[in-house]
Structure formats: C-alpha cells, structure tokens
C-alpha cells in the first residue's frame, strides 16, 4: 500500500514523484501535479468499487494538498514542487528524533513507535547509501492493524495521529520550502480537473466539482483564444500554442465536468475542442494524431501512443472521441477513435501493459456501453445517484429546459425525449433506447447488462 510508505507525505499530504525502493519508503521528494490527479482518480474509483472509507480519505488528502499548495489565485493548478530545499533533497520533509521530541512532547514514544522514527534516522542518502540522521515519517501497517496490535481503540489512535500531524505540519511551515514550479501547464490542469470532477461525482461533493469548474472556466476564458488552446500560463501571460496533449487532456476534464454538472457548456466546449484537435493534429492518410501542429519543418512529424507516467495524447484523444461518439451520436468520432487505435495496433499487440489507456478505450469499444439520458425538470438527484456508482461503461446526458435547445443540436437523438415535471431515465445502447423509466434501480440493471 503506497499510502503507508514515505512516498506519501504523511504530514502535508500529497504523493512524491516515485519511490526508489521496493518498500515505497524512500521517495524522490519532488511532487508533480499529474501524479496527484491520477492517484485521486485511482483512490476514487477504488472507493466506488469497495465502499471502504480509507480510499475516500486518501483522495481527500490528495485534494487538500492540491487546493492548499498547488492552486493559484485564479483557481488553476501549478505544475510541481521541487525535492530540494537549502541545497538538500528531502530536508523539508524529514525529521531528526530530537525535533520530533521537542515538538510533540506528549505521547512522543507512541509516535516514534508507530511511524518508525530512529535515533540514527531511517533516511538513506541515495548516492552513498549512508543514514543521514533524519527520518521519513511512514507506516509499516495500516493504522487499524496497529491499533489492534497495541490493544488501542482505532478512533482514539486516529485522533492522536491527526493532532500529531497538525503540530508537525505547523512547525514544518516555518522551514525553507522547496521551490514551487508555478507554471500552469494546460494538459496537466486538464487531468486535475478530471480528477476533481470524478471525486466530486463519487463523493457527492459540490465543493470538489467547483474547484474543477473554477479552473476550467478560467482556462476557457483566458487560455483558449481565437480557436486556439495554449500550453502555458504564467504571470498573467499565455505562452506556446497548445500541443495534442493540451487539447486531449483538457477535453477529458471537460467531459468529466459535464457528467458531474449537466452543464451543457462543458459538453459544447469538449466537442468544439475535439473538432479543433482533429483539424490541427490528425493524420488523415495514416491515422492517429501528431504531437504538434507546428512541426512541418521536421523530417518526420512524431506521434506517440506509449502510456508512461502520463498517458499519451493519442490514447486520451481516442478515449474522448469514443465518449463523445456516445454522447452526440456522431459516428465519425467513433471512426476516428478506432482508426487511431488501428494506427498503433502493432505497438499495442507487442506490449499491452505499456498502453493501459488505449486498452481502456478498447474495453469500451468491445464491450457493451450505454447512453443514459436524464430528461425532465428535476433530474439532478438522479444524476448524482448515478454518478456515485462505478459504472465505467456508460455516459450520462442531462436534458432539462436550460440545456434543451443546445443539446438537441449536439445530440440529435435526444430530440424526441420530452421534458416532463419529474425525471425520465432513458437507457440506450447503440442509440436504440428503452422506454423511459423513473425507477433508478431498474435503469442501473439495464446499464449493467
């Protein structure tokens, strides 16, 4: 469990970039926005599947870190925090035994035992392998297991941990902080917006959705200009025309926001940006998307399908295209999606594990998916109920009086769906729709078939 190890910041929350050992103890202390985004999504979806509060708590911890330390005054998200401070990697995050004793005083022996603090330190200098006398705060076992071993009430132990953390965090704020990379990179922001929307849906938390909306609205107003999305925002200026990843990842965030809010604006912009992405980046001869629309002077225009620390622009573009094909009924989006995957079919066959996002798209294509339309004046409660569930094989569309006219243009198959006083649920497969039902449980069964 990586949440237990030192790769997680137990004092300030958020995850460090990666671990340098198999035990997830010793991290490279840099923190990246995209890691926070994807881990938020992972813990959110595991919570939806298991309903175990632990996973929900971790998602909230990550988001607390991002909102507190990685969010600009405009509501968009910074890129990273460095590993070093005062010329030493990890100095900001690690502790001597004496520092902990001086700060905690009461129950310090309890803390030392639970979080594995040592006189000689547990933090090894990576280059030499020598102990530094400093400690990484980490757990060897889940807190519940530790409470059982110590015959201690779990709730009491958890309250102690919260108080210890608050004291250490308060003292840590006085230290010299690692340098913050305050560039606002649009593709990474798109991932964080998607994560906040997913978490907001799963936890029925409007505040999380609003964080995503604030970031998306700022980008749409200030960084999407004259039919061009830009890559970078810093100190009030937009810089560098956007790359494929900017269009694809930001659209991913907009689609998630649309499903979280039912606000037709986000679906409209998602479609608009996707059409521009196809116009600027698509290879109509050999299929797939180029990385840039401004590399005509290169001998070979590069394309990328490998999913590494972040997925490739092509795999996320394919994902968006397929979801938009379900939402709009536009079969050209589906064709573009499938042709994109065909362009890289040999790569996917050779090393499937290196193409996880592409495999997600293939799963959607190969297995049954549902288009769910909520039509009526009072549908938000049903939208929220559906959003809480882990139903990755569906899209959700809201048709109400506010969205009616624009939605019918974007998704013509919804024209015949009437807006009544309450809420009708239409479950469609391949745009062939069941009779409307007001029974959510029955609708879920239809989706799950």
């Amino acid at each position: 469990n990586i949440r237990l190890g030192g790769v997680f910041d137990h004092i300030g929350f958020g995850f460090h970039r990666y671990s340098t050992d198999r035990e997830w103890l010793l991290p490279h202390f840099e923190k990246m926005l995209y890691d926070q985004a994807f881990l938020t999504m992972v813990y959110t979806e595991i919570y939806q599947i298991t309903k175990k509060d632990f996973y929900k708590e971790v998602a909230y911890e990550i988001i607390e870190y991002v909102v507190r330390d990685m969010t600009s005054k405009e509501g968009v998200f910074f890129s990273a925090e460095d590993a070093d401070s005062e010329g030493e990697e990890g100095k900001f995050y690690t502790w001597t035994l004496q520092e902990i004793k001086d700060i905690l005083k009461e129950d310090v022996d309890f803390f030392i035992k639970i979080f594995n603090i040592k006189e000689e330190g547990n933090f090894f200098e990576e280059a030499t392998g020598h102990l530094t006398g400093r400690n990484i705060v980490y757990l060897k076992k889940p807190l519940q297991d530790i409470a059982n071993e110590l015959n201690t009430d779990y709730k009491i132990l958890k309250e102690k941990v919260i108080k210890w953390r608050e004291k250490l965090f308060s003292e840590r704020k006085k230290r010299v902080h690692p340098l913050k990379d305050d560039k606002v990179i649009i593709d990474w922001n798109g991932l964080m917006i998607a994560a906040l929307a997913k978490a907001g849906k799963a936890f029925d938390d409007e505040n999380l959705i609003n964080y995503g909306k604030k970031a998306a609205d700022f980008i749409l107003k200030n960084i999407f200009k004259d039919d061009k999305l830009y890559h970078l925002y810093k100190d009030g200026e937009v810089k560098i025309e956007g790359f494929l990843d900017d269009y694809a990842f930001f659209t991913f965030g907009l689609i998630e926001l649309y499903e979280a809010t039912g606000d037709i604006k986000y679906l409209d912009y998602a479609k608009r940006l996707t059409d521009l992405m196809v116009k600027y980046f698509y290879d109509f001869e050999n299929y797939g998307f180029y990385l840039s629309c401004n590399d005509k002077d290169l001998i070979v225009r590069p394309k990328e399908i490998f999913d590494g620390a972040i997925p490739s622009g092509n795999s996320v573009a394919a994902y968006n295209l397929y979801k938009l094909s379900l939402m709009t009924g536009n079969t050209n989006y589906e064709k573009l999606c499938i042709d994109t995957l065909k362009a890289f079919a040999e790569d996917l066959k050779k090393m499937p594990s290196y193409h996880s996002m592409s495999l997600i798209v293939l799963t959607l294509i190969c297995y049954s998916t549902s288009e769910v339309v909520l039509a009526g004046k009072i549908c938000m409660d049903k939208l929220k109920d559906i959003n809480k569930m882990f139903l990755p094989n569906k899209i959700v569309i809201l048709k109400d009086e506010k969205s009616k006219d624009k939605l019918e243009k974007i998704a013509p198959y919804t024209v015949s769906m009437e807006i009544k006083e309450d809420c009708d649920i239409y479950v469609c497969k391949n745009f062939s729709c069941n009779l409307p039902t007001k029974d959510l449980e029955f609708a879920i069964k239809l989706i799950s078939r």
Side-chain angles (χ1 to χ4, degrees), residues 305-307 344-359 362:
I305 194 65
F306 171 72
D307 295 326
F344 303 102
E346 289 304 315
D347 296 293
L348 270 63
K349 286 178 186 176
K350 286 177 185 175
M351 305 189 79
S353 63
Y354 283 31
H355 304 93
S356 52
M357 190 70 186
S358 295
L359 296 183
L362 278 171

Side-chain angles (χ1 to χ4, degrees), residues 82-127:
D82 278 359
D84 300 357
S85 57
E86 300 182 80
E88 293 182 32
E89 179 167 354
K91 186 172 183 180
F92 179 76
Y93 296 103
T94 55
W95 308 82
T96 65
L97 176 62
Q98 190 59 51
E99 283 175 330
I100 290 172
K101 286 181 176 180
D102 292 342
I103 295 164
L104 296 184
K105 297 180 176 69
E106 298 177 7
D107 289 335
V108 69
D109 291 337
F110 209 14
F111 179 91
I112 288 167
K113 184 174 184 178
I114 292 168
F115 286 100
N116 308 289
I117 308 302
K118 298 178 180 179
E119 179 72 51
E120 67 276 18
N122 62 31
F123 175 31
F124 289 85
E125 208 284 316
E126 191 176 357

Side-chain angles (χ1 to χ4, degrees), residues 370-384:
S370 299
E371 306 90 47
V372 183
V373 183
L374 304 177
K377 294 182 179 179
I378 310 172
C379 284
M380 283 307 296
D381 286 345
K382 283 190 170 67
L383 178 65
K384 289 179 179 181

Side-chain angles (χ1 to χ4, degrees), residues 264-265 268 402-411:
I264 193 68
K265 170 179 76 174
D268 190 32
K402 186 177 179 181
S403 65
K404 177 182 180 298
D405 293 341
K406 189 168 281 188
L407 179 64
E408 288 179 354
K409 290 180 181 177
I410 294 173

Side-chain angles (χ1 to χ4, degrees), residues 41 44-45 48 190-202 209 212-213 216 248-263 266-267 270 316 319-320 323-324 327 357 360 364 383 387 389 391-392 394-396:
M41 293 187 222
T44 296
E45 292 187 351
Q48 286 180 300
L191 298 175
M192 196 65 227
I193 291 165
L196 288 163
K198 280 179 174 285
K201 289 189 291 184
I209 295 169
K213 285 172 62 178
F249 294 5
F250 184 49
T251 298
F252 174 34
L254 293 176
I255 292 171
E256 291 295 334
L257 267 185
Y258 171 67
E259 290 193 297
T261 63
D263 187 338
Y266 296 118
L267 179 57
V316 177
Y319 180 80
N320 295 339
K323 289 201 76 170
L324 285 173
M327 289 177 158
M357 190 70 186
I360 290 172
L364 291 175
L383 178 65
N387 279 337
M389 303 176 194
L391 296 166
K394 60 93 182 78
I395 58 92
V396 183

